[in-house]
Amino acid sequence: MTTTFTDTCASRGMRHRRPRHSAVPFLGPLVIWAGAAGVLALWWSDTTSVVGPAGWLTGAGRITGLLAGYACAVLLALMARVPLLDHTIGTDRLARWHAWGGRCTVSLALAHTLLIIWGYSLTSHTNVVSQTSTLVLHYPDLLKGTAGFLLFLATGVLSARAARRRMSYETWHYLHFATYLAVFLTFGHQLSNGADFVGNRSAQAAWYTLFLGVAALVAWYRFTVPLRRGLRHRLRVTAVHPEAPGVVSVHLTGEHLDELGGQPGQFLRWRFLARGLWWTANPYSLSAPAQPGHLRITVKTAGGHSAALARLAPGTRVWAEGPYGAFTASRRTAPKVLLLAGGVGITPLRTLFETLPGQVTLVYRARRPADLVLRAELDAIAARRWACVHYVVDEPATYSSPLTARGLTALVPDLAAHDVYLCGPLGMTHAAIQALRDAGVPARRIHHESFAF
């Protein structure tokens, strides 16, 4: 089940142009670490000496508290869905940074709490229980700060992998909004009790600027922009078509869709205003290039939300947030491209297969021939641009090909010279990355995004 078309893309005028690459993915971490260094410099400039165990414990508590407060602002900025970050760094990478930073933030906040209590108890010659009671009940804003700290701990527990497996994405997502309240509750005590801020108007002004700036980004990109776009574009469902067993395409229309600015490979978060669906917004990639009056997504049944899309009635109103993601042509670095899809992961790659210039090869893996989604469209695109498409299925075994370096190079002999765009189930993605690396494809040329939470 391998279909091959002679590659004459260059003669058809689809020439490769080297895209411009943004410096944001490299500068972003540098800016974050520079901010952390600035926070440490604030503690250093305000500390004349550290004497004795109490001084060391209190000093460590101040450092961890400052870093925890700064990390809260960074975490919110990473998930503010700022287009400059999202379209260059990528939604999945930002989510990984956010998850790692969240664990660090909870650890810093816990260390700050324990170190301050211990250090203060040594200074005042009291036990930790009495000192805790004094701090919480008698220091300004610390009662609210304690409530915020407990919310942070609860969010950290719920974000642990073992806990996430036991709840739906929607439940986890909405519980995560508690972090906004936690940041609000803990902010006041930083300025009213922090030795580095009391009487230091410059430090206070910098802290207010940081948090108000992040709050403005969150309010604008997480709430205001989606609301404005929902009212302006007035999206609605026009039809739902079955594509394969358990897979449907949802066709949508609306107003001013050319203003969305979506690129092939990107996704949107879709909120269908139908019973049982309105309260959640799930990410689905466009499965065809956006048209001025038409959008399409293709969805596989993987839960209650996706299964309900097959029953959507024409005329159902839709709110769409986005577009998001950096899984676009801008990541390309080589003239040759391999698109490697698994299952319904073909959806963003189908748009790239149609629009990427140059020599493009598609390898599409599925369990059975019936699971090959949008095959007629893929064949038509391949014929039109004289590209090469390989279909690999597990059943029957005659047409199977192992997902290994040898199996991939048998389909694409000069594999190491390609950029690879990869999308599929998590297990397939991990196996493919290993196979590509074994085949000599540099890590910087393997591009993938994951919607896993």
Side-chain angles (χ1 to χ4, degrees), residues 10-143:
S11 66
R12 297 290 294 267
M14 301 185 70
R15 299 186 181 277
H16 167 64
R17 293 182 179 179
R18 185 175 294 275
R20 293 182 178 182
H21 295 283
S22 171
V24 174
F26 306 99
L27 293 178
L30 293 179
V31 171
I32 293 173
W33 287 113
V39 169
L40 293 176
L42 173 63
W43 171 83
W44 181 268
S45 65
D46 197 54
T47 303
T48 55
S49 62
V50 179
V51 179
W56 283 104
L57 289 170
T58 303
R62 287 170 55 194
I63 291 174
T64 52
L66 285 169
L67 290 174
Y70 170 71
C72 286
V74 172
L75 289 180
L76 295 181
L78 291 176
M79 289 290 100
R81 298 178 185 168
V82 179
L84 177 64
L85 301 179
D86 194 273
H87 295 174
T88 55
I89 297 174
T91 304
D92 62 333
R93 191 187 302 182
L94 289 173
R96 289 195 295 270
W97 290 2
H98 176 83
W100 181 83
R103 291 189 288 270
C104 291
T105 303
V106 172
S107 300
L108 287 168
L110 182 60
H112 163 70
T113 302
L114 297 177
L115 289 168
I116 286 294
I117 292 173
W118 192 2
Y120 278 30
S121 66
L122 290 180
T123 300
S124 59
H125 304 289
T126 59
N127 60 67
V128 293
V129 175
S130 176
Q131 187 61 54
T132 301
S133 176
T134 300
L135 288 170
V136 172
L137 299 178
H138 299 289
Y139 276 61
D141 295 315
L142 256 180
L143 189 58

Side-chain angles (χ1 to χ4, degrees), residues 23-285:
V24 174
F26 306 99
L27 293 178
L30 293 179
V31 171
I32 293 173
W33 287 113
V39 169
L40 293 176
L42 173 63
W43 171 83
W44 181 268
S45 65
D46 197 54
T47 303
T48 55
S49 62
V50 179
V51 179
W56 283 104
L57 289 170
T58 303
R62 287 170 55 194
I63 291 174
T64 52
L66 285 169
L67 290 174
Y70 170 71
C72 286
V74 172
L75 289 180
L76 295 181
L78 291 176
M79 289 290 100
R81 298 178 185 168
V82 179
L84 177 64
L85 301 179
D86 194 273
H87 295 174
T88 55
I89 297 174
T91 304
D92 62 333
R93 191 187 302 182
L94 289 173
R96 289 195 295 270
W97 290 2
H98 176 83
W100 181 83
R103 291 189 288 270
C104 291
T105 303
V106 172
S107 300
L108 287 168
L110 182 60
H112 163 70
T113 302
L114 297 177
L115 289 168
I116 286 294
I117 292 173
W118 192 2
Y120 278 30
S121 66
L122 290 180
T123 300
S124 59
H125 304 289
T126 59
N127 60 67
V128 293
V129 175
S130 176
Q131 187 61 54
T132 301
S133 176
T134 300
L135 288 170
V136 172
L137 299 178
H138 299 289
Y139 276 61
D141 295 315
L142 256 180
L143 189 58
K144 291 191 300 182
T146 301
F149 168 67
L150 294 176
L151 274 177
F152 268 124
L153 286 183
T155 304
V157 171
L158 292 173
S159 297
R161 186 167 299 176
R164 284 184 294 172
R165 292 196 186 104
R166 292 172 169 79
M167 68 179 74
S168 66
Y169 169 83
E170 293 80 11
T171 301
W172 172 85
H173 176 73
Y174 283 106
L175 288 175
H176 229 62
F177 278 116
T179 54
Y180 293 138
L181 179 58
V183 171
F184 174 77
L185 291 173
T186 56
F187 180 78
H189 97 277
Q190 299 175 60
L191 300 180
S192 57
N193 297 302
D196 303 287
F197 294 105
V198 175
N200 189 339
R201 293 190 177 275
S202 297
Q204 292 177 11
W207 216 241
Y208 269 113
T209 300
L210 173 64
F211 277 86
L212 289 176
V214 170
L217 292 176
V218 171
W220 181 255
Y221 289 112
R222 291 296 297 265
F223 300 101
T224 305
V225 169
L227 179 61
R228 290 179 60 197
R229 288 183 172 175
L231 295 173
R232 179 161 179 76
H233 297 307
R234 302 180 65 82
L235 282 166
R236 60 188 180 278
V237 175
T238 58
V240 179
H241 293 155
E243 300 286 359
V247 181
V248 298
S249 284
V250 180
H251 297 258
L252 308 105
T253 189
E255 302 174 5
H256 313 289
L257 297 186
D258 55 316
E259 298 176 5
L260 278 174
Q263 301 179 53
Q266 291 187 311
F267 68 94
L268 294 91
R269 299 179 187 274
W270 305 88
R271 187 183 304 275
F272 296 89
L273 305 187
R275 186 173 182 178
L277 297 176
W278 65 269
W279 63 288
T280 183
N282 279 18
Y284 299 118
S285 298

